Amino acid sequence: MWNYEKRLQYPVHITKCDPKAAMIIMSQYGGPDGEANASMRYLSQRYSMENRKVIGALTDIGTEELAHLEMIATIIHQLTRDLTPEEIKASGFDKYYVDHTLAIWPQAAGGIPFNSCEIQCKGDTITDLYEDMAAEQKARSTYDNILRVIKDPEIADPIKFLREREIVHFQRFGECLRRVQDDLDHKNFYAFNGQIDKKPC
């Protein structure tokens, strides 16, 4: 169970509509390396993770990703909330508008809907932690791409915060990986698999 604090993790105050920016940033809402995928990945992986400290890290980071999802939704909403029909048509936002009006809907920047096939949960500690580290780097790279094309400081400031958190998460998962490797054979991480090599019940 979580306690919900009614504030964003980092403030978002955007004063100008920019539907083109919204379409780009939307990828971090429902795209392949976005916050929805991250939260689903970590909050699902924790059930088959054996190390209790790693379970705690997955829970903490997965929960924070939900806060990031909330920030991205707020950015998109503030960028599109006062659009006129003329602005919608001129910006190319009309295709999205026809299907969703100005509601927030999870998709990639290219229009591909959210798809949980883009995440993986294997129940293998090493595999899942490498998956998590790669996911954080891909999200960081996506934020880098967003910052290359969006220069408005009202938008870029919270995006920079989110990018920094991806780096911190990558570091935390690296620490988790080192922690579990200490419990495994140092020459061959796969010399013994506690889940496979256990005696049957």
Side-chain angles (χ1 to χ4, degrees):
M1 174 179 280
W2 294 278
N3 292 319
Y4 176 66
E5 196 171 330
K6 295 184 178 179
R7 65 175 179 84
L8 293 178
Q9 187 181 12
Y10 189 89
V12 176
H13 300 293
I14 299 169
T15 57
K16 294 177 286 188
C17 287
D18 189 341
K20 288 186 177 180
M23 289 301 295
I24 293 167
I25 293 166
M26 195 171 290
S27 222
Q28 283 301 86
Y29 192 73
D33 305 310
E35 306 294 355
N37 271 325
S39 61
M40 289 287 293
R41 176 187 294 109
Y42 308 146
L43 294 175
S44 298
Q45 285 177 355
R46 66 192 180 133
Y47 290 100
S48 54
M49 192 63 64
E50 292 188 337
N51 185 294
R52 294 202 59 78
K53 291 192 175 181
V54 178
I55 292 169
L58 286 166
T59 304
D60 290 346
I61 295 172
T63 303
E64 185 179 348
E65 302 293 7
L66 293 172
H68 295 175
L69 195 67
E70 184 178 41
M71 281 182 63
I72 293 293
T74 301
I75 292 169
I76 296 165
H77 171 68
Q78 291 184 10
L79 287 169
T80 60
R81 64 183 163 196
D82 296 321
L83 287 175
T84 66
E86 293 75 24
E87 289 171 325
I88 290 167
K89 188 173 181 182
S91 66
F93 199 73
D94 50 346
K95 295 178 182 67
Y96 180 92
Y97 179 82
V98 166
D99 288 337
H100 311 294
T101 318
L102 297 178
I104 307 299
W105 190 75
Q107 70 174 44
I112 300 167
F114 171 79
N115 186 344
S116 62
C117 292
E118 292 159 342
I119 69 171
Q120 185 55 275
C121 301
K122 294 295 282 186
D124 179 277
T125 300
I126 301 293
T127 304
D128 283 348
L129 286 172
Y130 271 108
E131 160 89 4
D132 301 341
M133 292 173 70
E136 294 297 327
Q137 287 290 44
K138 289 185 285 184
R140 190 264 312 151
S141 180
T142 302
Y143 282 125
D144 283 344
N145 292 340
I146 290 170
L147 290 168
R148 287 185 184 104
V149 296
I150 293 177
K151 302 302 180 185
D152 182 340
E154 288 186 337
I155 307 169
D157 193 41
I159 295 297
K160 287 176 182 176
F161 169 82
L162 291 166
R163 180 193 179 278
E164 290 170 8
R165 296 307 299 164
E166 305 299 346
I167 295 168
V168 171
H169 294 170
F170 175 78
Q171 293 168 337
R172 295 297 84 80
F173 284 132
E175 292 165 4
C176 289
L177 182 62
R178 285 189 294 278
R179 180 182 297 279
V180 298
Q181 285 174 340
D182 288 343
D183 296 332
L184 298 172
D185 184 296
H186 289 281
K187 294 180 182 175
N188 180 358
F189 296 145
Y190 304 99
F192 173 79
N193 183 320
Q195 293 177 326
I196 296 172
D197 298 330
K198 288 176 183 172
K199 293 181 180 178
C201 298

